[in-house]
DNA sequence: ACAATAATTGTAGAACAATTGAAATAACAT
DNA sequence: ATGTTATTTCAATTGTTCTACAATTATTGT
């Protein structure tokens, strides 16, 4: 994970259509969905959906696999873990004792080690 | 957390300047930073930084507190937890047995309960 | 009161993203 | 082979966001 990848991911999820696509695919888990199903479920014209699927795929947030004339899309959830790790990389400057009320034990490695960090 | 809040958060972090501000403030933890410090650290003109700080504040990603003529900004890390919970809300349709190789145990509540989910 | 410092607001032009419809590509069925 | 279905690409239009400069507000120090 780096700055450019993170930006691309955030740009991808900053669109209502793409956010709904991503959340839908997370709900569908390993099965995923083919493009047409996504289009009819979310009531987005196929041509527009294709534009958004391309953006999500380019960001790595979803994967695509061909099935005959269908394209099956699946969410890439682990990428979200990388992104969170990138954001909280050097939380509290790596000094747990300064974390105090930062209140993000569940997300910040340093806060978890802090005396006031709730595990 | 709802769709509009999530969109606003993603839009906020989709800008290189704002992403760097947010990461910088996470590193600074509870101390935070005043606007001028952020501007000089990231080498962004104050007028432009102000524009981005407003967007981040509006999204709830950072908080601001007045200190005399300074404005001290701090990251709101817990909001990130809400966002992640929103994304993974109904992961795998709530059926752990279908999670399979979804490989997101650390982030998806259902996957964590699944036989193949790694805790 | 006056000047200096910290930060924000308003405005305008440039850059970028989203949507649409028409056309193209590719796979399948008859 | 031909027609049909699934999906993507292209081009044009519209709307939004970014940046910079000038002006403004608010606080502090003399």
């Amino acid at each position: 994970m780096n700055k450019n990848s993170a930006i691309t991911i955030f740009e991808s999820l900053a669109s209502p259509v793409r956010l709904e696509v991503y959340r839908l695919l997370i709900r569908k888990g390993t099965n995923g969905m083919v493009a047409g199903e996504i289009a009819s479920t979310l009531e987005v014209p196929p041509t527009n959906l294709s534009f958004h699927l391309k953006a999500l795929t380019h960001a790595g947030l979803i994967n695509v696999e061909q099935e005959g004339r269908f394209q099956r899309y699946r969410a890439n959830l682990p990428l979200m873990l990388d992104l969170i790790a990138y954001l909280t990389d050097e939380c509290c400057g790596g000094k747990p004792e300064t974390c105090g009320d930062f209140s993000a034990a569940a997300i910040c490695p340093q806060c978890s080690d802090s005396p006031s960090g709730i595990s």
Side-chain angles (χ1 to χ4, degrees), chain A:
Chain A
M1 183 62 48
N2 55 51
K3 185 168 160 180
N4 287 337
S5 301
I7 293 290
T8 305
I9 292 169
F10 287 126
E11 279 173 348
S12 295
L13 295 174
S15 142
V17 173
R18 292 193 293 262
L19 179 58
E20 287 307 304
V21 169
Y22 184 66
R23 276 169 41 89
L24 179 58
L25 290 178
I26 283 176
R27 287 198 290 278
K28 292 293 175 174
T30 49
N31 283 345
M33 281 176 100
V34 300
E37 284 182 306
I38 302 171
S40 56
T41 302
L42 301 179
E43 297 182 65
V44 175
T47 180
N48 188 17
L49 180 68
S50 192
F51 169 82
H52 292 297
L53 288 172
K54 192 179 177 182
L56 284 164
T57 306
H58 178 245
L61 283 165
I62 64 176
N63 301 309
V64 61
E65 188 189 0
Q66 185 150 7
E67 278 184 9
R69 70 183 120 172
F70 301 89
Q71 298 290 121
R72 183 166 297 273
Y73 287 92
R74 293 183 180 86
N76 175 17
L77 204 35
L79 185 67
M80 195 52 62
L81 292 174
D82 293 349
L83 180 65
I84 295 160
Y86 174 75
L87 287 177
T88 61
D89 213 5
E90 298 178 50
C91 171
C92 305
K95 294 169 188 163
E97 67 276 14
T98 69
C99 271
D101 289 333
F102 211 49
S103 308
I107 202 172
C108 162
Q110 279 73 33
C111 287
S112 310
D113 298 341
S114 156
S116 51
I118 305 126
S119 307

